[in-house]
Each structure stands twice: as C-alpha cells, then as structure tokens.
C-alpha cells in the first residue's frame, strides 16, 4: 500500500491530508513536532479567526503582490468561496463582517479544528505527534527525532507543510531551512511579515503612552497610504495599520538602513484650515489646550507631536499644521521574526513545478507558509495555506498514481 507522509499538522498539511485520505488504498501519515497538531491555527482563532475575505477574486489575488501569478491559479482551484463551502461541510457556519472579512460563526478555530481532526481520523489518517523531522537518511527515508530516540520511515511521497518562522513555541520555528538548503533547494531568507517595528522613543513618551491606540490616523510609506489604527508599545509600534504597511517599511529598512512612516493625525481636516485655526491667538491657553481646541489633537497624538517635532515647530502654525498632516515617524528595526504574525521568504516557487513538487526532489511537495509568498492579514494567509496545501495533496495524488 503506498504511504504518504505529511510533515506539519497546520492547515496546509491537514488540507493536503484531506485530499489524500479521499483515495482508497493508501496510507496517510501526519507527523508533527508538537504534542498536538494545529497549534498556530488555534492561536489564529484567539482574537477572532479571520479565515478568508469576501472581495471579488481578482482583488483577492492582488493581495499576493508579486506572487499573484503563482498563487492566483491555485486560488482558482481552491479559493475563498471553496474554502467557505468546505468549512460549511464540517458543520461550521461562516459570516461576512462589515469589512468583508469572513469568520466562522463562533469566531474561534477550536470547533473547526476538532471537527476536522475527527473527520480525518475517521477517514484513516494516522497522526504521529512529537515527531520532529530531521531530514533524509542516505537511502531517502525520513528521519525523525522522537521522545524515544531517532526513527526512520520510508514513504512513497512526502508533503512538507512546516510553516514559517514565527511563534516557535507553537511549532513553526523555521528549523527546516538548512535541511532543504543542504539538498540544494533555493530558500529565500525568512523575514518578519505583518510585524511591529522598533522606534527610539524617549523614556518619558514610552512610559506615558505604551499600550495606547493611535486612531483614527492615516499612515503612508512609499506609495502606500492607509487609514486605520495602531498601538504604541514600550519600544515601538504594532497593530493592524502597522502590519498592513509592514512589507514596504521592512523592505526600505533593509535596503537603506532607515525608514520612515508618515502619519496624518487629523485625516478629516485640511492642512490649510488647520493652519488658520492654529494661527488664532492662543491667549492664556496652554499648548495642549490650544491643540485640542483648534486641531482636535490630544492625548497620544499630542504626545507624538511633542516627541517627534522640534519645540519651535510646535509654536509655528503653518509648520505645525504641515506636521500634523505628514508627521515623520522614523522606525529603526523590525521586531524579531518570532513575534511576527507571518513570515515572508521561504521555498522559491522556481524550485517547484505546477503541482508544488520540488523539481530536484521528485515525490517531495511543499505547501503553506513555508513557500516564498506573503500577504496582509485579512484571511489571505490562511486561504493561501489552504490553496497550496490542497494543490500539494492533489499533486502527490497524481504523482502516486503515475509512479504506482
Ligand atoms: C497570532 C496569530 C494570529 C493569526 N491570525 C490569522 C488570521 O486571523 N487569519 C489568517 O489568515 N492567518 C492568521 N495567522 C496566520 C496563520 O495562522 C498561518 O499563516 C498558518 O497557520 C500557516 O499554516 P501552515 O500550515 O503553513 O503552517 P503552521 O500552521 O505554522 O503549521 C506548521 C506545522 O509544522 C510543524 N513543524 C514545523 N517544523 C517541524 C519539523 N521539523 N518536524 C515536524 N513538524 C514540524 C509545526 O509544529 C506546525 O504544527 C495568524 C498567526 C498568528 C501567529
């Protein structure tokens, strides 16, 4: 009986398994280094699991930027709509939020994962946890570290779905990179995506404002501009708006060594009007009161102006209005990869055929976040993991049929 190993029990590996257990007469073995599968998937469900997005497919595909040509065809086979239908098939309903984002009705991942693992086991998938893949033996067998020592398993096809390099405590530690690189597989360096940034705040600002949201605000970097909110941390910035702009900010930082996010702290007000209002006599008003009354700026926004502008600008209405509309916030570094929501970089698509099989390692397929793509939050991460996992499962099936 042909044996398929799926290494990595996250959404990409599990959906690949689902495709393979549907075929009679083959053994599907799922290995994971952790004591249970799907730990990061469960984490993704903590704050409300945004599983996909309801926007038109062409817009959806556009979110994958320079990788849309490779991810697009996979999404056409198993995209947002098929994913929703698949979830419904597990007895879990979904709803579309006001932003167009799609969530399971209960917002959580746990009921979905429970039903899914149950169905996979019922269909014959065998789970082997606490099995850390270490690479290949000389005879091609898969090597695993287990609590009882090292073990080797020979299989007919392998799907690697090992995840990215963030949240190592949930299993996705990127330790697979040297294993593939040693076999000559091109792997783009793993980098933080949807990540926070370090800012050199003064001790005073950090103590006073860490944990506070900045909203509403428009942030821009290069030609990207977006409205939303973000949070001040003790050493930097994080949150939705920062994550959305993190890819260009990270890339500029990497290329030039410095990068600046520009903030419009008063998105609803024109600069000229702000300048006129701020030029009105201040009388005995403090600067804080003047800013609040004339520009609607207070709290953390006022704190940002004091932190980032020279004192003379704070008293020059024209310059202050210009700064409120385009305040430069220099960032000094990305937060470490392990803290990021997702990972950019990974196995190069050029190393894979259209079935996601490694051209130089026939019978070995790759799927999920370990591939070299990135996308913003909004359900795009999970949807691409499902689409690539599904494609790798189908590819392995075709491979087994052709070699068996
Ligand atoms: C806090 C947080 C919130 C998120 N929220 C969302 C969201 O709302 N929507 C969204 O679309 N995405 C979200 N994501 C991203 C999403 O969770 C990931 O993109 C997705 O889980 C990646 O799936 P994967 O199957 O490729 O890898 P993973 O889910 O990372 O699974 C990889 C598996 O491989 C195993 N593994 C790794 N190395 C080995 C080895 N050597 N041997 C054996 N097993 C190994 C790991 O233990 C793990 O179980 C979130 C992520 C985080 C951290």
């Amino acid at each position: 009986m042909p044996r398929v190993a799926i290494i990595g029990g996250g959404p990409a590996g599990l959906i690949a398994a689902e495709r393979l257990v549907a075929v009679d007469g083959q053994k599907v073995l799922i290995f994971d280094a952790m004591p249970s599968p799907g730990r990061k998937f469960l984490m993704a469900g903590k704050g409300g699991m945004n599983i996909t997005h309801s926007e038109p497919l062409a817009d959806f595909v556009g979110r994958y930027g320079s990788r849309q040509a490779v991810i697009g065809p996979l999404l056409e086979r198993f995209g947002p709509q098929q994913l929703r239908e698949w979830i419904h098939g597990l007895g879990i309903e979904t709803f579309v939020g006001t932003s167009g984002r799609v969530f399971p009705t209960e917002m959580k991942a746990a009921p979905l994962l429970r039903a899914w693992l149950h169905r996979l086991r019922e269909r014959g998938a065998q789970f082997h946890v606490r099995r850390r893949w270490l690479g290949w033996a000389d005879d091609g067998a898969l090597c695993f570290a287990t609590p009882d020592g090292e073990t080797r398993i020979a299989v007919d096809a392998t799907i690697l779905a090992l995840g990215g390099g963030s949240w190592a405590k949930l299993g996705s530690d990127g330790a697979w990179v040297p294993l593939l690189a040693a076999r000559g597989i091109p792997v783009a360096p793993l980098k933080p995506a949807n990540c926070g940034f370090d800012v050199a705040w003064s001790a005073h600002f950090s103590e006073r404002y860490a944990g506070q949201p900045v909203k509403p605000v428009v942030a821009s970097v290069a030609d990207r501009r977006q409205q939303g909110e973000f949070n001040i941390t003790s050493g930097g910035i994080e949150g939705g708006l920062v994550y959305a702009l993190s890819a260009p900010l990270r890339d500029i930082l990497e290329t030039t060594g410095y990068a600046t996010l520009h903030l419009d702290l008063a998105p609803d007000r024109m600069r000229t009007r702000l300048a006129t209002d701020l030029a009105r006599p201040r009388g005995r008003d403090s600067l804080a009161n003047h800013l609040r009354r004339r520009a609607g700026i207070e709290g953390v926004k006022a704190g940002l102006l004091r932190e980032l502008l020279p004192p003379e600008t704070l008293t020059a209405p024209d310059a202050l209005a210009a700064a409120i509309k385009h305040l430069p916030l220099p960032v000094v570094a990305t937060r470490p990869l392990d803290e990021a929501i997702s990972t950019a970089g990974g196995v190069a698509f050029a190393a894979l055929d259209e079935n996601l099989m490694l051209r130089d390692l026939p019978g070995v397929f790759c799927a999920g976040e370990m591939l070299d793509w990135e996308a913003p939050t909004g359900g795009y991460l999970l949807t691409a993991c499902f689409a690539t996992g599904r494609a790798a499962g189908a590819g392995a099936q075709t491979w087994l049929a052709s070699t068996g």
Side-chain angles (χ1 to χ4, degrees):
M1 188 186 276
R3 284 149 61 99
V4 192
I6 293 164
I7 314 180
L14 295 178
I15 198 77
E18 176 130 320
R19 179 70 180 72
L20 289 157
V21 289
V23 180
D24 280 343
Q26 67 197 11
K27 212 167 188 172
V28 179
L29 311 167
I30 302 167
F31 298 93
D32 202 289
M34 299 301 283
S36 59
R39 292 201 168 193
K40 197 189 247 187
F41 188 60
L42 287 175
M43 172 55 77
K46 280 260 163 77
M49 189 171 66
N50 176 201
I51 197 136
T52 191
H53 202 287
S54 61
E55 68 192 354
L57 190 61
D59 296 339
F60 193 102
V61 171
R63 307 291 176 178
Y64 298 89
S66 61
R67 298 294 182 273
Q68 50 188 300
V70 280
I71 301 279
L74 306 178
L75 289 171
E76 266 164 36
R77 281 154 65 188
F78 194 81
Q81 188 52 35
Q82 290 84 347
L83 178 54
R84 287 185 73 183
E85 284 160 15
W86 174 83
I87 296 169
H88 300 159
L90 276 171
I92 309 278
E93 288 309 310
T94 56
F95 72 95
V96 181
T98 43
S99 57
R101 294 173 178 223
V102 177
F103 301 87
T105 311
E106 285 183 63
M107 302 288 282
K108 296 191 191 108
L112 196 163
L113 184 64
R114 212 170 19 245
W116 192 9
L117 294 177
H118 178 72
R119 188 165 80 183
L120 282 169
R121 285 197 181 96
E122 249 183 7
R123 293 183 180 174
Q126 290 181 14
F127 285 86
H128 300 272
V129 294
R130 295 192 170 89
R131 299 286 185 283
R132 165 167 291 282
W133 179 59
L134 301 173
W136 290 275
D138 290 344
D139 63 358
L142 298 168
C143 303
F144 293 93
T146 84
D148 306 320
E150 205 174 308
T151 173
R152 292 178 179 195
I153 293 157
V155 293
D156 302 287
T158 302
I159 296 176
L160 301 175
L162 301 161
S166 73
W167 293 64
K169 65 178 181 194
L170 303 178
S172 325
D173 58 10
W176 53 265
V177 173
L179 303 180
L180 290 190
R183 303 295 298 247
I185 307 299
V187 180
L190 304 189
K191 296 180 202 171
N194 296 300
C195 59
F197 290 83
D198 290 335
V199 177
W201 299 132
S202 65
H204 169 76
F205 181 87
S206 171
E207 274 158 33
R208 181 129 189 225
Y209 296 110
Q212 293 211 17
V214 182
K215 63 178 182 180
V217 63
V218 170
S220 54
V221 54
D223 60 349
R224 295 274 305 279
R225 195 178 148 78
Q226 196 164 320
Q227 178 150 359
E229 64 178 85
F230 67 89
N231 286 309
I232 304 294
T233 65
S234 59
I237 49 174
E238 65 177 20
L241 184 57
V242 171
Y243 299 159
L245 298 172
S246 61
L249 209 50
R250 176 201 65 211
D251 291 346
I252 293 171
L253 203 50
E254 200 174 271
T255 320
T256 63
Y258 59 88
T260 304
L261 192 64
H262 282 92
L263 305 176
D264 177 350
L265 298 178
D268 300 333
R269 304 180 74 151
M270 303 281 287
R271 187 182 64 78
T272 43
R273 178 66 198 271
L274 270 176
T276 315
D277 288 347
L278 287 165
R280 294 216 198 141
R282 203 167 114 188
R284 293 161 67 155
D285 247 359
S286 65
L287 177 65
N289 270 344
H290 187 64
L291 271 173
R292 182 174 48 76
R293 275 157 39 107
R294 302 296 181 206
I297 299 277
E298 58 186 326
V300 63
K301 286 186 177 178
L304 279 166
L305 292 175
R306 287 181 192 277
E307 176 76 358
L308 298 168
L309 295 176
E312 58 275 18
T313 305
L314 294 169
T315 50
D318 272 343
L320 182 55
I324 290 171
K325 295 298 286 177
H326 199 60
L327 182 69
L329 169 56
V331 300
V332 290
T334 54
R335 292 297 303 155
L337 172 60
D338 193 48
E339 289 178 18
I341 298 287
S342 63
T343 304
V347 175
F349 277 97
L352 301 160
D353 71 9
E354 66 285 1
N355 290 321
L356 303 184
M357 184 170 82
L358 287 167
R359 294 179 200 279
D360 289 346
L361 292 178
V364 180
F365 298 76
C366 297
E369 210 181 298
M370 71 181 292
L371 300 177
D372 182 16
W373 57 273
E374 67 176 310
T377 58
Y380 307 105
L381 299 167
L382 283 171
T383 307
C385 290
F386 277 95
T388 53
R390 190 80 176 185
Q397 187 51 51
T398 309
W399 162 261
L400 287 169
S402 70
T403 53

mmCIF file of all heavy atoms in Angstrom, residues 238-266:
data_model
loop_
_atom_site.group_PDB
_atom_site.id
_atom_site.type_symbol
_atom_site.label_atom_id
_atom_site.label_comp_id
_atom_site.label_asym_id
_atom_site.label_seq_id
_atom_site.Cartn_x
_atom_site.Cartn_y
_atom_site.Cartn_z
ATOM 1 N N GLU A 238 2.931 48.733 16.878
ATOM 2 C CA GLU A 238 2.386 47.465 16.382
ATOM 3 C C GLU A 238 0.907 47.670 16.083
ATOM 4 O O GLU A 238 0.353 48.724 16.364
ATOM 5 C CB GLU A 238 2.567 46.343 17.437
ATOM 6 C CG GLU A 238 1.768 46.598 18.708
ATOM 7 C CD GLU A 238 1.880 45.469 19.732
ATOM 8 O OE1 GLU A 238 2.821 44.670 19.666
ATOM 9 O OE2 GLU A 238 1.003 45.426 20.613
ATOM 10 N N GLY A 239 0.259 46.636 15.547
ATOM 11 C CA GLY A 239 -1.176 46.703 15.304
ATOM 12 C C GLY A 239 -1.517 46.789 13.829
ATOM 13 O O GLY A 239 -0.639 46.956 12.973
ATOM 14 N N GLY A 240 -2.827 46.665 13.544
ATOM 15 C CA GLY A 240 -3.339 46.481 12.186
ATOM 16 C C GLY A 240 -2.733 47.392 11.124
ATOM 17 O O GLY A 240 -2.280 46.920 10.080
ATOM 18 N N LEU A 241 -2.736 48.703 11.375
ATOM 19 C CA LEU A 241 -2.264 49.627 10.345
ATOM 20 C C LEU A 241 -0.765 49.452 10.088
ATOM 21 O O LEU A 241 -0.303 49.526 8.944
ATOM 22 C CB LEU A 241 -2.566 51.066 10.798
ATOM 23 C CG LEU A 241 -2.238 52.171 9.814
ATOM 24 C CD1 LEU A 241 -2.964 51.958 8.481
ATOM 25 C CD2 LEU A 241 -2.594 53.535 10.388
ATOM 26 N N VAL A 242 -0.019 49.185 11.149
ATOM 27 C CA VAL A 242 1.433 48.978 11.001
ATOM 28 C C VAL A 242 1.687 47.673 10.242
ATOM 29 O O VAL A 242 2.533 47.620 9.334
ATOM 30 C CB VAL A 242 2.112 48.957 12.390
ATOM 31 C CG1 VAL A 242 3.559 48.517 12.282
ATOM 32 C CG2 VAL A 242 2.021 50.325 13.046
ATOM 33 N N TYR A 243 0.930 46.635 10.567
ATOM 34 C CA TYR A 243 1.105 45.352 9.867
ATOM 35 C C TYR A 243 0.819 45.536 8.374
ATOM 36 O O TYR A 243 1.531 45.007 7.521
ATOM 37 C CB TYR A 243 0.178 44.272 10.431
ATOM 38 C CG TYR A 243 0.402 43.968 11.891
ATOM 39 C CD1 TYR A 243 -0.590 43.367 12.662
ATOM 40 C CD2 TYR A 243 1.610 44.286 12.516
ATOM 41 C CE1 TYR A 243 -0.381 43.086 14.007
ATOM 42 C CE2 TYR A 243 1.818 44.016 13.854
ATOM 43 C CZ TYR A 243 0.816 43.416 14.600
ATOM 44 O OH TYR A 243 1.019 43.153 15.924
ATOM 45 N N ALA A 244 -0.245 46.310 8.079
ATOM 46 C CA ALA A 244 -0.646 46.480 6.675
ATOM 47 C C ALA A 244 0.466 47.128 5.855
ATOM 48 O O ALA A 244 0.596 46.869 4.664
ATOM 49 C CB ALA A 244 -1.919 47.310 6.605
ATOM 50 N N LEU A 245 1.252 47.989 6.495
ATOM 51 C CA LEU A 245 2.316 48.688 5.767
ATOM 52 C C LEU A 245 3.694 48.096 6.052
ATOM 53 O O LEU A 245 4.726 48.659 5.666
ATOM 54 C CB LEU A 245 2.290 50.179 6.146
ATOM 55 C CG LEU A 245 0.989 50.910 5.776
ATOM 56 C CD1 LEU A 245 0.972 52.311 6.353
ATOM 57 C CD2 LEU A 245 0.808 50.967 4.260
ATOM 58 N N SER A 246 3.710 46.963 6.732
ATOM 59 C CA SER A 246 4.994 46.445 7.216
ATOM 60 C C SER A 246 5.901 45.946 6.096
ATOM 61 O O SER A 246 7.125 46.043 6.218
ATOM 62 C CB SER A 246 4.780 45.337 8.255
ATOM 63 O OG SER A 246 4.077 44.252 7.698
ATOM 64 N N ALA A 247 5.327 45.437 5.005
ATOM 65 C CA ALA A 247 6.198 44.895 3.942
ATOM 66 C C ALA A 247 7.039 46.008 3.308
ATOM 67 O O ALA A 247 8.273 45.895 3.260
ATOM 68 C CB ALA A 247 5.383 44.135 2.906
ATOM 69 N N PRO A 248 6.423 47.122 2.821
ATOM 70 C CA PRO A 248 7.281 48.165 2.246
ATOM 71 C C PRO A 248 8.206 48.802 3.280
ATOM 72 O O PRO A 248 9.368 49.093 2.967
ATOM 73 C CB PRO A 248 6.286 49.197 1.680
ATOM 74 C CG PRO A 248 4.960 48.879 2.273
ATOM 75 C CD PRO A 248 4.985 47.420 2.610
ATOM 76 N N LEU A 249 7.712 48.956 4.505
ATOM 77 C CA LEU A 249 8.550 49.561 5.547
ATOM 78 C C LEU A 249 9.773 48.675 5.811
ATOM 79 O O LEU A 249 10.912 49.155 5.898
ATOM 80 C CB LEU A 249 7.691 49.703 6.811
ATOM 81 C CG LEU A 249 7.996 50.820 7.799
ATOM 82 C CD1 LEU A 249 8.131 52.162 7.128
ATOM 83 C CD2 LEU A 249 6.897 50.879 8.874
ATOM 84 N N ARG A 250 9.538 47.372 5.922
ATOM 85 C CA ARG A 250 10.635 46.410 6.144
ATOM 86 C C ARG A 250 11.625 46.444 4.987
ATOM 87 O O ARG A 250 12.839 46.465 5.195
ATOM 88 C CB ARG A 250 10.025 44.995 6.272
ATOM 89 C CG ARG A 250 11.049 43.878 6.413
ATOM 90 C CD ARG A 250 10.424 42.539 6.020
ATOM 91 N NE ARG A 250 10.052 42.507 4.612
ATOM 92 C CZ ARG A 250 9.037 41.824 4.116
ATOM 93 N NH1 ARG A 250 8.265 41.093 4.900
ATOM 94 N NH2 ARG A 250 8.754 41.853 2.818
ATOM 95 N N ASP A 251 11.091 46.460 3.745
ATOM 96 C CA ASP A 251 11.979 46.411 2.587
ATOM 97 C C ASP A 251 12.834 47.675 2.482
ATOM 98 O O ASP A 251 14.020 47.597 2.153
ATOM 99 C CB ASP A 251 11.157 46.184 1.301
ATOM 100 C CG ASP A 251 10.555 44.781 1.275
ATOM 101 O OD1 ASP A 251 10.984 43.931 2.089
ATOM 102 O OD2 ASP A 251 9.639 44.533 0.458
ATOM 103 N N ILE A 252 12.248 48.835 2.777
ATOM 104 C CA ILE A 252 13.017 50.093 2.725
ATOM 105 C C ILE A 252 14.098 50.064 3.807
ATOM 106 O O ILE A 252 15.260 50.408 3.567
ATOM 107 C CB ILE A 252 12.081 51.314 2.904
ATOM 108 C CG1 ILE A 252 11.141 51.432 1.713
ATOM 109 C CG2 ILE A 252 12.891 52.596 3.093
ATOM 110 C CD1 ILE A 252 10.036 52.461 1.874
ATOM 111 N N LEU A 253 13.710 49.594 4.981
ATOM 112 C CA LEU A 253 14.650 49.494 6.103
ATOM 113 C C LEU A 253 15.842 48.609 5.723
ATOM 114 O O LEU A 253 17.001 48.926 6.001
ATOM 115 C CB LEU A 253 13.888 48.906 7.292
ATOM 116 C CG LEU A 253 14.356 49.116 8.716
ATOM 117 C CD1 LEU A 253 14.628 50.570 9.007
ATOM 118 C CD2 LEU A 253 13.296 48.594 9.684
ATOM 119 N N GLU A 254 15.501 47.507 5.049
ATOM 120 C CA GLU A 254 16.539 46.557 4.672
ATOM 121 C C GLU A 254 17.482 47.157 3.622
ATOM 122 O O GLU A 254 18.691 46.960 3.662
ATOM 123 C CB GLU A 254 15.869 45.301 4.112
ATOM 124 C CG GLU A 254 16.747 44.086 4.120
ATOM 125 C CD GLU A 254 15.965 42.866 3.679
ATOM 126 O OE1 GLU A 254 15.377 42.211 4.540
ATOM 127 O OE2 GLU A 254 15.933 42.595 2.460
ATOM 128 N N THR A 255 16.902 47.908 2.681
ATOM 129 C CA THR A 255 17.718 48.451 1.587
ATOM 130 C C THR A 255 18.550 49.655 2.029
ATOM 131 O O THR A 255 19.711 49.779 1.648
ATOM 132 C CB THR A 255 16.804 48.915 0.417
ATOM 133 O OG1 THR A 255 15.766 47.965 0.269
ATOM 134 C CG2 THR A 255 17.545 49.031 -0.888
ATOM 135 N N THR A 256 17.918 50.555 2.798
ATOM 136 C CA THR A 256 18.607 51.828 3.074
ATOM 137 C C THR A 256 19.134 51.926 4.498
ATOM 138 O O THR A 256 19.897 52.826 4.809
ATOM 139 C CB THR A 256 17.639 53.010 2.853
ATOM 140 O OG1 THR A 256 16.575 52.888 3.807
ATOM 141 C CG2 THR A 256 17.053 53.025 1.460
ATOM 142 N N GLY A 257 18.671 51.043 5.374
ATOM 143 C CA GLY A 257 19.118 51.102 6.763
ATOM 144 C C GLY A 257 18.247 51.991 7.635
ATOM 145 O O GLY A 257 18.397 52.021 8.850
ATOM 146 N N TYR A 258 17.354 52.756 7.018
ATOM 147 C CA TYR A 258 16.393 53.524 7.820
ATOM 148 C C TYR A 258 15.076 53.634 7.052
ATOM 149 O O TYR A 258 15.059 53.492 5.830
ATOM 150 C CB TYR A 258 16.941 54.921 8.172
ATOM 151 C CG TYR A 258 17.277 55.754 6.974
ATOM 152 C CD1 TYR A 258 16.310 56.559 6.378
ATOM 153 C CD2 TYR A 258 18.551 55.725 6.419
ATOM 154 C CE1 TYR A 258 16.610 57.317 5.255
ATOM 155 C CE2 TYR A 258 18.852 56.472 5.298
ATOM 156 C CZ TYR A 258 17.882 57.263 4.717
ATOM 157 O OH TYR A 258 18.185 57.998 3.603
ATOM 158 N N ALA A 259 13.999 53.861 7.767
ATOM 159 C CA ALA A 259 12.701 54.002 7.101
ATOM 160 C C ALA A 259 11.804 54.881 7.954
ATOM 161 O O ALA A 259 11.955 54.946 9.170
ATOM 162 C CB ALA A 259 12.053 52.636 6.893
ATOM 163 N N THR A 260 10.882 55.547 7.287
ATOM 164 C CA THR A 260 10.005 56.487 7.985
ATOM 165 C C THR A 260 8.551 56.234 7.594
ATOM 166 O O THR A 260 8.233 56.137 6.406
ATOM 167 C CB THR A 260 10.396 57.940 7.600
ATOM 168 O OG1 THR A 260 11.777 58.114 7.893
ATOM 169 C CG2 THR A 260 9.589 58.952 8.377
ATOM 170 N N LEU A 261 7.727 56.150 8.612
ATOM 171 C CA LEU A 261 6.284 56.069 8.390
ATOM 172 C C LEU A 261 5.776 57.492 8.541
ATOM 173 O O LEU A 261 6.183 58.193 9.481
ATOM 174 C CB LEU A 261 5.698 55.172 9.486
ATOM 175 C CG LEU A 261 4.271 54.682 9.346
ATOM 176 C CD1 LEU A 261 4.136 53.785 8.127
ATOM 177 C CD2 LEU A 261 3.860 53.909 10.599
ATOM 178 N N HIS A 262 4.927 57.946 7.634
ATOM 179 C CA HIS A 262 4.363 59.297 7.781
ATOM 180 C C HIS A 262 2.928 59.194 8.266
ATOM 181 O O HIS A 262 2.159 58.374 7.763
ATOM 182 C CB HIS A 262 4.455 60.063 6.458
ATOM 183 C CG HIS A 262 5.836 60.585 6.201
ATOM 184 N ND1 HIS A 262 6.770 59.887 5.488
ATOM 185 C CD2 HIS A 262 6.453 61.719 6.620
ATOM 186 C CE1 HIS A 262 7.914 60.571 5.450
ATOM 187 N NE2 HIS A 262 7.751 61.692 6.136
ATOM 188 N N LEU A 263 2.591 60.010 9.245
ATOM 189 C CA LEU A 263 1.259 59.941 9.846
ATOM 190 C C LEU A 263 0.470 61.212 9.561
ATOM 191 O O LEU A 263 1.015 62.315 9.670
ATOM 192 C CB LEU A 263 1.372 59.779 11.367
ATOM 193 C CG LEU A 263 2.201 58.605 11.881
ATOM 194 C CD1 LEU A 263 2.277 58.661 13.412
ATOM 195 C CD2 LEU A 263 1.603 57.283 11.419
ATOM 196 N N ASP A 264 -0.781 61.023 9.216
ATOM 197 C CA ASP A 264 -1.717 62.141 9.171
ATOM 198 C C ASP A 264 -2.590 61.993 10.421
ATOM 199 O O ASP A 264 -3.436 61.092 10.498
ATOM 200 C CB ASP A 264 -2.553 62.056 7.884
ATOM 201 C CG ASP A 264 -3.599 63.160 7.801
ATOM 202 O OD1 ASP A 264 -3.804 63.860 8.828
ATOM 203 O OD2 ASP A 264 -4.217 63.304 6.725
ATOM 204 N N LEU A 265 -2.329 62.839 11.412
ATOM 205 C CA LEU A 265 -3.030 62.697 12.696
ATOM 206 C C LEU A 265 -4.431 63.298 12.671
ATOM 207 O O LEU A 265 -5.205 63.110 13.612
ATOM 208 C CB LEU A 265 -2.208 63.365 13.811
ATOM 209 C CG LEU A 265 -0.822 62.767 14.075
ATOM 210 C CD1 LEU A 265 -0.110 63.570 15.166
ATOM 211 C CD2 LEU A 265 -0.923 61.312 14.492
ATOM 212 N N ALA A 266 -4.743 64.049 11.618
ATOM 213 C CA ALA A 266 -6.069 64.678 11.520
ATOM 214 C C ALA A 266 -6.636 64.413 10.131
ATOM 215 O O ALA A 266 -6.768 65.324 9.311
ATOM 216 C CB ALA A 266 -5.944 66.173 11.792
#
